[in-house]
Amino acid sequence: MTIDQNELSAAEDTAIRQRGRGVALKRVGYEARRNLLPITLAVVITVGALIGFSLWISDKAQNADAAVNHTVRNHQLLSVVQSLLQDAEIGQRGYILTGDPFYLEPYDRALSEIDAAISDLESNVADNSVQIANVAVLRSLIVQKLSELRQSVQRRREGDQAGALAVLKTGQGKVLMDGVRDVLARMRAEEDRLMEGRAEQASRAGFIMEMMVIGLSLVAAAVGLTMLHIALRRARSAEAARDELLSRLDRKLLAILAADIVGYSRLMEGNETVTLDRLRHVRELVDPIIVEHQGTIVNTAGDSVLAAFASALSAIDCALEIQACMERDNRELAENDRLLFRIGLNVGDVIVRNGDVFGDTVNVAARLEALANPGGICISRTVRDHIRKQRDLGFDDLGFQTLKNIAHPISAFRVRPAREA
């Protein structure tokens, strides 16, 4: 059998190429095995470094969040101290003016809790020398303020209302309360300054963490950043909600005037157009009188008017002028066409929220209005005690009246102008 030389050369070439591929594969396998260990070590070291750095950044972020929460807590404690002191002052004034032990409930509660609240605040700001100094000043002012409150309340308990009022009129309590508010404002400003820096640190830590986590996993980075953002947003939202509430919710000692037109429904049934025109005319007379006496019109609903005054004297002067004005305006009208107001007055603790007023003081004023004669004024004993030495008026004692939806009987008086007294 004869073998062609060309076929032999082709077979040799195929064998050589196969041996070459085998050597190449072996070389690749060898190089891979030789570099596997250092590559693995490099990957492990890199991943470990990234994880370690991420954990360090995570710890920094957690510390920043804790610092932010710490500042939020300090704001809450400042609000608690201020609220307790305001409750004590409101209770003191209510008790001095009325002698009703009901007002001592917030007063006694505030006195029992305020020391612990100040101690909590002092403990929470122990890491800040500026705030420690502020707490020391705050504690001193509060001790003096509580001493003034106890002195006036004790005199009222002993039956010496004039002495208790004399303590109020010295103005010392206002000066001390202004000092307390000033210190609280400084402490809030310091906390806000710290909050800004801590929030910035938290933001910076979050950004670095995002970069590190992106190196490991984009998804993990997105989740981590979202959680941090939500935590900061909730902290800021809680702070904003608290500030908004304090700004919208205030308690004040006010005189409330409640006025209502007698027989308004009957007049509307008789001649709606004429009655509405007369009502518009009357409001044009009455509203400026309220403003002239430094009153604030809180609410008007059809034939009724609700106004608030800083003092009982301003309220009674306004009520008397309204009734005198209405009497002049009605002189030339037929009796059935006259619009007559009944007016009720009360003074006490009032909650002011969004420009409106709430509380028992407002409810009592509205109930007293129903006890007034057409064209007359009915007041509570508290109002009478405020005005009887300041105004030449007569008072018809109606005794204690049980009023709808009012828990305690109310001592009521009808007012007689000076010419009838």
Side-chain angles (χ1 to χ4, degrees), residues 1-17:
M1 179 176 179
T2 303
I3 299 176
D4 190 298
Q5 185 67 33
N6 291 333
E7 292 179 358
L8 179 60
S9 297
E12 290 176 348
D13 288 342
T14 301
I16 291 171
R17 285 195 296 270

Side-chain angles (χ1 to χ4, degrees), residues 383-416:
V383 176
R384 194 225 33 189
D385 291 344
H386 273 78
I387 66 175
R388 63 178 177 177
K389 294 183 180 180
Q390 308 293 329
R391 297 292 183 266
D392 184 18
L393 298 170
F395 304 97
D396 294 331
D397 191 349
L398 301 181
F400 282 87
Q401 299 287 321
T402 300
L403 305 178
K404 183 179 179 181
N405 295 330
I406 304 300
H408 305 285
I410 302 298
S411 179
F413 297 82
R414 289 195 179 111
V415 177
R416 286 181 282 112

